[in-house]
Amino acid sequence: MHFLEYQSAAWDSAHWEFSLVFEDLRDEDLWRRADPKLLSVGEIVCHMAYWQVTYAQKLNPAAGVDSPLKREEARYYSTTVDQPLKLDMGVEELAKEFDRAQKAVKAAMLEVALERDAPMPFEGPGRTMGEFADYMVFHVAYHTGQAFSVRHLMGHETNDN
C-alpha cells in the first residue's frame, strides 16, 4: 500500500482547516507577531512550506516542486525568532501560493512508489514512510492551532476555532 494512502484525505482536510486561518485576516496582520517571541501567521506558513517542499524535493526531485515560501530562515523557530521574516506578499497571495505548493507536494509524494513500511530514504520524521506520512499531516494540524492562537492573541474574531 502506498505510504500516503491512509493519510491522503486527512492531508486535504488538514490543509482545508488551515486555510480558514486566512479568513478576514488583514494584510497588515499577516506578518505581525502577537508577541516578539511568537511567530506571525506568515512565518508559520513559511515554516510549513519549507518542510513540505524540502521533503518533496528529497522524495521526488524529478517533480520539480518549489515555492518562494520555502525559506531557509523558516526551518525552525530558533532560526526565525530573533530575525523576523516578512515576505512581500499579502494574505491572498500567500494563501494561494501555500495552497498551490501543498497540492504540488502531495502530487509529488503520490508519484513515489514507496510502501508504508518502507524505511525512510533520508533522515526525517519517522523511521518508515508510514510514520513520515503520519507526521506530515500532524505537522499541519499542529501549526493550524498555533496560527489560530496567534490570531486570537491579536484580538481577532475568527470562525469556530
Side-chain angles (χ1 to χ4, degrees):
M1 174 179 301
H2 188 274
F3 78 90
L4 195 56
E5 186 171 328
Y6 288 144
Q7 293 87 355
S8 184
W11 175 285
D12 294 340
S13 293
H15 282 91
W16 171 80
E17 186 76 21
F18 190 87
S19 75
L20 299 177
V21 80
F22 298 118
E23 287 184 355
D24 299 321
L25 178 60
R26 297 181 308 265
D27 288 342
E28 59 268 20
D29 288 338
L30 179 62
W31 301 101
R32 184 168 72 93
R33 291 180 172 188
D35 181 272
K37 295 295 184 184
L38 294 175
L39 302 184
S40 68
V41 170
E43 289 169 315
I44 293 167
V45 171
C46 288
H47 168 75
M48 293 166 55
Y50 176 87
W51 287 110
Q52 288 183 7
V53 171
T54 294
Y55 291 136
Q57 289 171 339
K58 288 182 178 193
L59 280 173
N60 188 352
V65 176
D66 207 356
S67 172
L69 303 178
K70 182 188 180 230
R71 303 293 299 249
E72 187 69 23
E73 61 266 41
R75 269 185 352 267
Y76 294 111
Y77 171 80
S78 60
T79 59
T80 311
V81 68
D82 292 329
Q83 296 184 352
L85 172 63
K86 182 177 180 185
L87 302 183
D88 190 23
M89 292 179 148
V91 173
E92 186 176 341
E93 185 180 4
L94 183 81
K96 284 181 181 177
E97 175 54 23
F98 185 58
D99 185 58
R100 184 208 63 78
Q102 68 87 10
K103 287 176 179 170
V105 166
K106 182 182 175 190
M109 289 183 178
L110 287 169
E111 291 175 356
V112 175
L114 290 172
E115 300 293 318
R116 289 191 52 76
D117 58 354
M120 286 280 293
F122 54 84
E123 188 175 329
R127 296 168 308 223
T128 67
M129 292 305 299
E131 290 173 1
F132 167 73
D134 292 342
Y135 180 81
M136 293 302 289
V137 172
F138 161 78
H139 192 242
V140 176
Y142 173 84
H143 289 299
T144 298
Q146 192 178 43
F148 272 102
S149 291
V150 168
R151 293 216 42 205
H152 294 159
L153 287 169
M154 288 192 286
H156 293 180
E157 292 288 327
T158 65
N159 56 37
D160 65 354
N161 284 293

